């Protein structure tokens, strides 16, 4: 939409007159005029045309009316993509609204239809911003305002800033939205917390508490009612039971039961005693019968036994005399054998003694014969022993160790060789006598002729007639010492051997060997003579001497004696065997006698005892008969007793059962009594309980609680619905608000940014994406509070925001005029110029109307300069 | 001619916990005072006996005060004779009640606690069928068929329970044979249990409660005056009003353009009756957003006149038109929000509960806007 002309009549200061601005073009249009010239009147009239229904007289309309009254008329020509139209409204008297199609020159719409046409122009959609964008000194023009609000610079500044917000609010529902949301939330949060839980102290929470309390009450009372009904049921049952128990008929039946049981117990008891007596009698009869039978049987057995025994007694007697005879003969036989043994033994003794004497005599004879030889040998042995002793002594004297002799010999040889060596080294002298020999002596010995004479040490040559010549060899003594040592050793060896020379030693060695051989022979001899030593020979000699001292004169045939002795021994053996043979016969006979005797005596004893039992022989038959009679009588008695007991046994009364029946009958009675007592106690308890509860009217209270609970639950339900409704409203409002923001504010921001860059190169402004309000201002790298924005900057921001909106709408295919009424009051010239640049840049596809009183400053703006002209309605 | 009052279901002692606090006492008292109103009707109509066909007391264990005061009230009306039948609420199980009553029963009160023929006048035999338990599980009137009565005597039955499965306590199996009067040769069968009056046949009736206790029946409290000329004669029956309170459900059907407040006010009883009236407005049809707010306001204005006044708006749909939305806002986010709520409230894919909530939220938004002005 574009404005092409604006006309008004009888508006504000133009009372009774008309004024018009024609030829409003594309791009920037400027109307510069001093204050109070009427610029703002145009602005307000335009606003009323578009936003005030022609029928009403709200404040915005009333402001248009001059003090003198009358009917304000506003008219505007517009161009849209569909055509050119003239919109006109007359307020107060002759209320009128019309739309004329300028191209066709015909009336398009009137009254409400005209309003609808205008509404479509400016709204273009329920959620979009208004189709006209206004920036006015201090206010946006679409807000309600009072005169006082326009006063004061501070107010103006705030309004300027909030004028941006105004546009935002138009999108986001504005203050109404905020107030409604606040009211909704207030109501909601009086009930619940922000997490939609019941808020404590709130009505909702109270309702819930009430509900819970009643629920508890109801449950408690319900339990009590149940308890009460239970108690009633129990009491009813108890009463029924009690009346049953106390029913006289029942009692009589029970008592009858007891007496019947008692009678039957009595009957059973008496029967039982009779039976017992009969049983005892029968048992006694049995005993008597058994005894009688026993006596009879014993008697008969005894009789038979006596007869048997008598037979046995006869046999035993025979047997006894027989064995006695046998024993007598055995004794005789035995004694004879014993006698023979004694005789044989005597004989043997005698024979043995004789034989011993004979032997002694023989020994003595032998000893006497050996005695002489033994004496001789003893003498020889003693001689031999003397020889041995002598030989040994001599040998001990002669003996030299052969090894030592050999050593001695080796030593002598060594000495000889040493001497020879010694001599060879000695200085020698040789004297050859020319004349007489032996004129010279050497060490007082003659010095032989032409014979080398060696010497050691110093020799004195006594040369007869001449003098003594002393020769000194002056040799070291060393050489001589070896020989001396050997010689010393030789000497000591000789001494140790006790000989004076090797020769002697050798002689002694031979001699010792001879003597040793002699000694060996002597020893041999002694060994032959006395192999067990001389002492044994002495003893042998003594023994023989003793033997030889015996009787040497007995003259008997020793052989005969020996035979006699052997025969005697044989006899002894034979007789002893005879005795051994006879002995068992004897002892066997003894035993037989004893057995026969015992048997006989036993039989006799038994017989005697039987006789006691049986009595005298004559009475025995009679006695047996008596016993038999007795036994028969007892049997009869016994059978009679059995006959009496049998029916009693058969007809036995069970006393135990009868007693059990009685006990049961009595226990039934006792139980009935006890139960009745118990029931009365229970009843008393129940009565108390029931009376208490029914006095409390617990059932009524329960019903009441139940009904109250229903009401409380309903109330809670209502609160829940209320909560849901408010929450739904709150969330829906919030969603609508943020949807509007997302839909418009963000695009506006992106439109706004380049414009800001155009205007402010030294500062950057951060906008709140939600409110589109400047949040912080960064100047020279420092953040500043947005409140400190200058008035100029505020208004510039305000204008730029409108431009951004306008761009957005234009891009949306709905170009919209931007109307600025003294919008740049506080801006300095530099900024204004920049702003002009921004406006021109914008105005390429945008209609901008600028109303200003700053003629000088706005002279630089350029653009289409608008003029006001007179106008009368109906003329154009 | 034998004439008596047939009534039942006094429910003395009922507490009305679901009613506002200050009303409860009055409602309770009204039940007690039904005794004197019945007596008054008996005197007016020349009836000598009052048959109470069960549920005289609301619970099996009324307080001694309640019981004694009720019996004292009855004794006050001597020589009128009262015959009390145990019902399901005060069945014979309530032995505490009946033994307590038995010990203080006045001469002019008969407790029909046994199914035995009662001779209550010259040639008048009453066959009571007292409820043995809360739910007897059998037809207690069976015995009447074979009950012997003197030749030429009027045979009257007195019973409590459902004829069909419409018992107040909705127990099903123990129904009274509908043709019991015919089968048992009764001249009249006085029934109790149903709180509204019901005619089963010309000789069998439910009297209904003399004092209503709920909105369900929508009939005024009444008792029956029954006159029987003689054995076999058809009874003459006249209903007489006995109620102190009136319980009414008033249907209010609205169309979208209707003046809801005027329609509501047209339903209201005369001002002097309102104190004794419990009124439920059962609204149905459709109403505009504004109409709804107006109706609610009107109800709030009228409520203090009444003993009780409530609106049952479940059947009432709220219409919302673009003009209503315009009153919220023509454009912008507020309008969007209103539109969203309206769309939700008519979105069939949502549950009814959600739609209702959305509609209510819209109503609320509307009322906020109205309160705020434009």
């Amino acid at each position: 939409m574009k404005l092409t002309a604006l006309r008004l009549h009888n508006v504000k200061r133009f009372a009774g007159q008309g004024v018009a601005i024609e030829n409003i073009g594309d791009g920037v249009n400027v109307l510069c005029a001093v204050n109070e010239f009427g610029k703002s009147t145009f602005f307000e009239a335009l606003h009323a045309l578009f936003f005030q229904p022609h029928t009403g007289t709200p404040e915005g309309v009333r402001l248009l009316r001059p003090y003198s009254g009358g009917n304000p008329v506003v008219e505007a020509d517009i161009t849209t993509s569909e055509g050119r139209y003239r919109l006109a409204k007359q307020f107060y008297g002759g209320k009128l609204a019309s739309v004329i199609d300028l191209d066709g020159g015909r009336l398009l719409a009137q009254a409400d239809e005209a309003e609808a046409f205008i509404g479509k122009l400016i709204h273009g959609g329920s959620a979009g911003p208004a189709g006209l964008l206004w920036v006015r000194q201090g206010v946006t023009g679409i807000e309600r305002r009072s005169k006082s609000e326009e006063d004061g610079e501070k107010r103006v500044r705030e309004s300027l800033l909030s004028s941006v917000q105004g546009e935002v609010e138009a999108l986001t529902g504005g203050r109404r939205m905020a107030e409604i949301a606040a009211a909704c939330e207030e109501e909601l949060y009086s009930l619940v917390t922000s997490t939609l839980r019941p808020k404590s102290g709130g009505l909702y929470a109270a309702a819930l508490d009430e509900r819970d309390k009643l629920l508890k009450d109801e449950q408690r009372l319900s339990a009590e009612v149940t308890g009460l009904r239970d108690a009633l049921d129990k009491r009813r049952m108890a009463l029924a039971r009690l009346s049953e128990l106390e029913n006289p008929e029942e009692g009589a039946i029970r008592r009858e039961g007891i007496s019947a049981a008692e009678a039957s117990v009595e009957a059973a008891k008496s029967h039982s005693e009779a039976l017992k007596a009969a049983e005892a009698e029968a048992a006694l009869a049995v005993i008597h019968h058994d005894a009688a039978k026993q006596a009879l049987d014993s008697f008969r057995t005894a009789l038979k036994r006596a007869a048997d025994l008598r037979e046995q007694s006869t046999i035993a007697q025979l047997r006894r005399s027989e064995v006695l005879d046998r024993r007598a003969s055995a004794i005789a036989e035995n004694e004879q054998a014993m006698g023979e043994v004694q005789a044989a033994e005597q004989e043997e003794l005698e024979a043995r003694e004789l034989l011993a004497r004979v032997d002694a005599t023989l020994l003595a004879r032998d000893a006497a014969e050996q005695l002489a030889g033994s004496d001789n040998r003893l003498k020889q042995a003693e001689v031999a022993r003397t020889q041995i002793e002598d030989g040994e002594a001599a040998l001990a004297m002669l003996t030299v160790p052969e090894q030592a002799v050999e050593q001695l010999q080796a030593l002598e040889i060594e000495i000889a060789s040493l001497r020879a060596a010694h001599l060879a080294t000695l200085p020698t002298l040789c004297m050859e006598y020319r004349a007489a020999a032996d004129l010279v002596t050497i060490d007082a010995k003659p010095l032989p002729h032409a014979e080398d004479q060696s010497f050691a040490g110093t020799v004195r040559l006594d040369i007869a007639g001449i003098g003594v010549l002393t020769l000194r060899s002056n040799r070291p003594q060393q050489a001589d010492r070896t020989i001396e040592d050997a010689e010393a050793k030789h000497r000591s060896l000789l001494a140790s051997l006790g000989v004076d020379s090797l020769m002697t030693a050798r002689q002694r060695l031979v001699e010792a060997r001879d003597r040793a051989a002699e000694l060996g022979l002597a020893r041999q001899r002694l060994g032959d003579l006395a192999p067990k030593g001389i002492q044994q020979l002495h003893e042998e000699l003594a023994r023989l001497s003793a033997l030889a001292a015996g009787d040497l004169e007995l003259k008997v045939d020793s052989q005969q004696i020996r035979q006699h002795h052997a025969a005697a021994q044989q006899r002894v053996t034979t007789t002893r065997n005879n005795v051994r043979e006879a002995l068992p016969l004897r002892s066997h006979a003894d035993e037989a006698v004893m057995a026969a005797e015992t048997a006989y005596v036993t039989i006799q004893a038994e017989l005697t005892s039987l006789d006691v039992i049986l009595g005298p022989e004559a009475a025995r038959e009679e006695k047996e008969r008596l016993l038999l009679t007795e036994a028969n009588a007892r049997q009869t008695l016994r059978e009679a007793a059995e006959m009496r007991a049998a029916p009693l046994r058969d007809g036995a009364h069970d006393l135990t059962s009868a007693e059990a029946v009685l006990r049961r009958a009595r226990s039934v009675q006792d139980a009935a009594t006890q139960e009745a007592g118990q029931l009365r106690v229970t009843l008393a308890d129940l009565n108390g309980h029931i009376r208490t509860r029914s006095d409390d009217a617990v059932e009524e209270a329960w019903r009441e609680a139940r009904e109250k609970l229903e009401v409380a639950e309903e109330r809670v339900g209502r609160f829940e619905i209320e909560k849901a409704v408010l929450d739904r409203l709150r969330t829906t409002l919030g969603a609508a608000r943020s949807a509007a923001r997302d839909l418009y504010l963000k695009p506006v921001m992106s439109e706004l940014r380049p414009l800001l860059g155009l205007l402010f190169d030294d500062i950057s402004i951060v906008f709140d994406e939600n409110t589109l309000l400047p949040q912080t201002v960064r100047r020279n790298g420092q953040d500043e509070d947005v409140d400190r924005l200058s008035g100029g900057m505020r208004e510039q921001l305000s204008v730029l925001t409108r431009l951004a909106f306008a761009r957005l709408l234009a891009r949306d295919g709905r170009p919209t005029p931007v109307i600025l009424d003294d919008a740049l009051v506080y801006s300095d010239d530099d900024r204004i110029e920049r702003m002009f640049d921004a406006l021109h840049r914008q105005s390429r596809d945008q209609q901008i109307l600028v109303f200003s009183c700053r003629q000088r400053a706005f002279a630089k703006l350029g653009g289409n300069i608008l003029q006001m002209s007179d106008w009368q309605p109906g003329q154009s | 001619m034998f004439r008596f009052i047939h009534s039942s279901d006094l429910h003395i002692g009922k507490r009305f916990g679901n009613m506002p606090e200050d009303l409860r006492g009055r409602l309770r008292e009204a039940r007690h005072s039904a005794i004197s109103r019945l007596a008054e009707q008996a005197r007016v109509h020349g009836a000598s006996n009052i048959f109470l066909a069960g549920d005289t007391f609301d619970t099996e264990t009324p307080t001694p005060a309640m019981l004694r005061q009720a019996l004292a009230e009855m004794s006050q009306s001597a020589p009128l004779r009262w015959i009390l039948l145990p019902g399901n609420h005060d069945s014979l199980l309530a032995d505490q009640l009946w033994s307590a009553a038995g010990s203080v029963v006045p001469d002019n009160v008969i407790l029909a606690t046994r199914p035995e023929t009662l001779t209550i006048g010259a040639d008048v035999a009453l066959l009571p069928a007292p409820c043995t338990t809360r739910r007897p599980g059998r037809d207690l009137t069976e015995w009447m068929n074979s009950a012997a009565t003197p030749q030429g005597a009027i045979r009257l039955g007195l019973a409590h329970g459902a004829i069909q499965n419409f018992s107040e306590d909705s127990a099903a199996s123990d129904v009274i044979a509908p043709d019991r009067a015919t089968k048992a040769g009764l001249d009249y069968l006085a029934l109790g249990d149903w709180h509204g009056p019901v005619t089963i046949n010309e000789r069998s009736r439910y009297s209904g409660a003399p004092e209503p206790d709920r909105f369900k029946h929508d009939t005024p409290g009444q008792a029956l005056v029954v006159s029987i000329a003689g054995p076999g004669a058809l009874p003459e029956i006249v209903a007489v009003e006995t109620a102190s309170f009136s319980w009414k459900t008033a249907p209010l059907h609205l169309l979208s353009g209707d003046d809801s407040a005027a329609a509501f006010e047209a339903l209201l009883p005369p001002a002097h009756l309102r104190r004794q009236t419990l009124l439920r407005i059962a609204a149905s049809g459709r109403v505009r957003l504004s109409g709804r707010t107006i109706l609610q306001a009107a109800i709030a204005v009228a409520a203090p006149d009444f003993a009780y006044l409530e609106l049952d708006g479940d059947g009432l749909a709220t219409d919302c038109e673009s003009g209503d939305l315009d009153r919220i806002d023509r454009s912008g986010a507020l309008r969007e929000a209103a539109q969203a709520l309206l769309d939700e409230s008519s979105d069939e894919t949502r549950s009814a509960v959600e739609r209702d909530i959305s509609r209510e939220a819209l109503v609320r938004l509307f009322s906020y806007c109205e309160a705020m002005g434009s």
Side-chain angles (χ1 to χ4, degrees), chain B residues 3 5 7 27 38 41 54 76 98 131 193 212 216 221 240 270 284 300 307-308 324 360 363 365:
Chain B
R3 182 170 292 162
I5 298 267
S7 185
L27 290 173
L38 285 171
Q41 290 294 352
Q76 197 63 26
W98 294 109
C131 285
D193 190 24
K216 184 173 174 180
V240 291
S284 59
Y308 183 74
D324 296 321
E360 275 304 312
V363 172
L365 177 58

Side-chain angles (χ1 to χ4, degrees), chain A residues 334-480:
Chain A
N334 206 19
E335 275 170 359
Q336 189 192 346
M338 287 300 272
E340 282 170 10
V341 168
Q342 275 171 8
E345 276 175 352
Q346 186 58 40
E347 197 179 342
E348 191 266 349
L349 187 60
E350 284 164 8
R352 200 177 348 134
E353 278 170 1
L354 186 58
L355 186 60
R357 274 203 319 273
V358 166
D359 281 351
T361 307
L362 284 177
L363 274 174
R365 254 181 233 160
D366 278 358
E369 279 169 19
Q370 281 174 17
L371 200 57
S374 285
D375 192 35
N376 189 27
R377 199 165 57 198
L378 180 61
K379 281 182 184 116
Q380 284 178 12
E382 278 177 343
V383 170
R385 190 176 64 183
T386 312
Q387 277 177 352
I388 290 167
E389 280 166 5
D390 292 350
E392 278 176 349
L395 184 59
M397 291 299 286
L398 289 173
T399 302
V400 286
E402 200 172 344
Q403 194 185 2
V405 174
E406 294 299 322
Q407 197 181 354
L408 187 63
Q409 187 176 337
L411 202 56
E412 276 185 8
I413 292 166
E414 191 188 348
I415 289 169
S417 69
L418 280 172
R419 278 208 185 113
H422 183 58
L423 276 178
T425 63
L426 283 178
T428 56
L429 59 93
C430 189
M431 188 67 181
E432 288 179 18
Y433 292 116
R434 272 178 223 139
D438 298 335
L439 289 172
V440 178
T441 61
I442 187 165
D443 289 342
K445 280 179 291 183
L447 187 58
H449 171 68
E451 197 170 298
D452 278 350
Q453 189 83 32
S454 65
F455 71 90
T458 305
V459 284
R460 282 168 63 99
L461 293 177
D462 191 350
I463 310 166
I466 303 169
V468 174
L469 178 64
T470 306
L471 294 176
R472 290 179 186 97
S473 72
N474 288 342
R475 339 182 25 224
Q477 287 294 308
Q478 182 76 25
D480 302 338

Side-chain angles (χ1 to χ4, degrees), chain A residues 144-321:
Chain A
R144 240 186 304 173
R145 64 188 192 281
S146 65
K147 194 78 182 158
S148 64
E149 276 181 357
E150 295 181 17
D151 294 341
E153 191 179 328
K154 186 166 176 271
R155 191 73 223 163
V156 168
R157 282 187 183 217
E158 278 180 2
S159 300
L160 261 175
L161 189 62
S162 61
S163 71
V164 181
Q165 198 176 6
E167 208 58 53
V168 174
E169 281 182 348
L171 292 176
T172 58
R175 284 183 210 157
R176 289 179 74 208
M177 169 64 107
E179 281 169 27
I180 286 167
C184 172
E185 284 179 1
E186 189 189 332
E187 216 168 327
L188 179 61
Y189 293 139
S190 73
L191 299 179
V192 296
T193 63
S194 54
T195 53
L196 298 187
R197 309 212 166 204
K199 185 174 176 177
S200 65
L203 290 172
Y204 181 34
L208 279 172
D209 288 349
E210 174 76 5
R211 198 262 317 262
D212 293 346
K213 183 179 128 336
L214 283 168
L215 189 64
K216 249 183 242 158
D217 282 358
E218 196 271 337
Q219 282 166 349
R220 179 178 57 78
L221 287 166
S222 168
E224 280 182 12
V225 166
T226 312
L228 176 61
R229 286 186 176 159
D230 200 39
L232 284 166
D233 288 350
K234 274 189 191 148
R235 183 172 71 171
R236 197 170 310 107
M237 277 173 346
L239 279 170
R241 180 72 189 134
L242 190 60
S243 71
E244 225 174 84
L245 288 172
E246 291 179 340
N247 185 346
E249 282 175 28
E250 295 275 331
I253 288 168
R254 279 197 301 274
R255 276 191 297 281
E256 272 170 30
I258 290 173
S259 44
E262 278 171 350
S264 69
V265 166
E266 275 312 309
K269 269 186 187 162
S270 63
H271 179 269
S272 156
E273 272 156 24
L275 178 60
K276 227 184 269 171
E279 292 276 17
E281 195 188 339
L284 192 64
V286 168
I287 291 165
H288 281 150
H289 175 227
D290 287 351
K293 219 164 70 177
Q294 180 75 34
L296 180 60
D297 289 352
S298 308
F299 190 78
R300 282 180 176 163
T301 313
L303 273 180
K304 190 168 180 293
R305 178 74 184 144
D308 288 354
L309 283 176
R310 265 190 294 279
E311 268 175 39
Q312 283 175 12
S313 177
T314 316
I315 296 167
Q317 223 168 349
L318 284 175
R319 167 92 182 131
R320 189 176 63 158
S321 52

Side-chain angles (χ1 to χ4, degrees), chain A residues 371-667:
Chain A
L371 200 57
S374 285
D375 192 35
N376 189 27
R377 199 165 57 198
L378 180 61
K379 281 182 184 116
Q380 284 178 12
E382 278 177 343
V383 170
R385 190 176 64 183
T386 312
Q387 277 177 352
I388 290 167
E389 280 166 5
D390 292 350
E392 278 176 349
L395 184 59
M397 291 299 286
L398 289 173
T399 302
V400 286
E402 200 172 344
Q403 194 185 2
V405 174
E406 294 299 322
Q407 197 181 354
L408 187 63
Q409 187 176 337
L411 202 56
E412 276 185 8
I413 292 166
E414 191 188 348
I415 289 169
S417 69
L418 280 172
R419 278 208 185 113
H422 183 58
L423 276 178
T425 63
L426 283 178
T428 56
L429 59 93
C430 189
M431 188 67 181
E432 288 179 18
Y433 292 116
R434 272 178 223 139
D438 298 335
L439 289 172
V440 178
T441 61
I442 187 165
D443 289 342
K445 280 179 291 183
L447 187 58
H449 171 68
E451 197 170 298
D452 278 350
Q453 189 83 32
S454 65
F455 71 90
T458 305
V459 284
R460 282 168 63 99
L461 293 177
D462 191 350
I463 310 166
I466 303 169
V468 174
L469 178 64
T470 306
L471 294 176
R472 290 179 186 97
S473 72
N474 288 342
R475 339 182 25 224
Q477 287 294 308
Q478 182 76 25
D480 302 338
R481 289 216 54 114
T482 314
I483 298 171
E484 280 165 17
D485 286 349
E487 281 170 349
K489 207 169 176 185
H490 183 248
R491 275 190 303 273
S492 70
L493 196 56
L494 284 176
S496 74
L497 289 173
V499 292
D500 55 357
S501 70
L502 178 61
M503 180 64 72
T504 327
R506 287 269 179 218
Q507 281 169 355
R508 280 179 66 173
L509 203 57
V510 172
E511 201 175 339
R513 209 170 282 155
D514 292 348
R515 286 287 174 95
E518 277 173 29
L519 189 58
L521 285 173
R523 277 182 186 142
Q524 182 71 41
R525 202 158 53 243
L526 182 60
D528 288 347
L529 290 171
K532 291 179 182 173
I534 287 172
Q535 184 61 33
Q536 199 260 339
L537 282 178
H538 278 296
E539 283 166 10
E540 179 75 13
L541 196 61
R543 189 179 60 85
L544 289 173
S545 301
L547 285 174
D551 182 7
L552 304 177
E553 304 302 320
L554 188 61
K555 299 273 194 264
V556 283
D557 185 356
S558 69
Q559 193 61 36
Q560 196 183 354
I561 291 169
R562 272 184 218 286
Q563 281 171 356
H564 181 69
H565 180 236
Q569 273 183 326
Q570 184 64 41
R571 236 181 355 262
V572 168
T573 308
T574 310
T575 53
R576 278 187 183 155
N577 283 346
N578 287 343
V579 170
R580 186 168 294 170
E581 222 175 274
L583 263 176
L585 279 176
R586 164 81 190 274
S587 62
H588 183 67
D590 283 348
E591 280 166 18
V593 167
M594 215 183 304
E597 196 70 34
T598 308
Y600 179 74
V601 171
T602 307
I603 288 166
Q604 285 306 315
E606 200 173 339
L607 270 175
T608 312
S609 71
L610 281 175
D611 283 345
V612 171
I613 291 169
L614 294 172
E617 196 81 50
R620 279 183 192 173
E621 205 170 324
E622 177 61 19
K623 192 169 180 184
E624 185 180 356
R625 201 179 49 78
L626 281 175
L627 282 173
L628 182 60
T629 315
E630 172 72 9
N632 287 340
R634 284 297 173 188
Q635 187 168 8
T636 315
L637 281 175
R638 174 186 174 169
E639 277 160 9
E642 286 289 339
M643 288 286 279
R644 282 195 297 280
L648 285 172
R649 279 197 203 108
D650 292 348
H653 278 53
D654 191 350
L655 179 59
T656 319
S657 315
E659 276 170 348
V661 169
L662 178 59
R663 267 202 303 281
R664 191 177 56 72
R666 279 189 180 140
S667 73

Side-chain angles (χ1 to χ4, degrees), chain A residues 681-722:
Chain A
V681 173
T682 310
L683 275 175
D685 287 351
L686 287 171
N687 279 336
H689 181 76
I690 290 164
R691 189 168 307 128
T692 316
R693 290 282 177 250
S694 72
D695 285 359
D696 289 350
V698 62
E699 212 175 338
E700 287 166 29
W702 172 54
R703 280 173 200 276
E704 184 184 34
R706 221 164 44 168
E707 286 165 345
K708 277 183 181 170
L709 178 62
E710 279 165 23
V711 173
E713 271 165 354
E714 261 176 48
R715 190 168 156 76
V716 167
R718 280 203 299 278
F719 272 116
E720 264 155 18
I721 289 171
E722 175 79 1

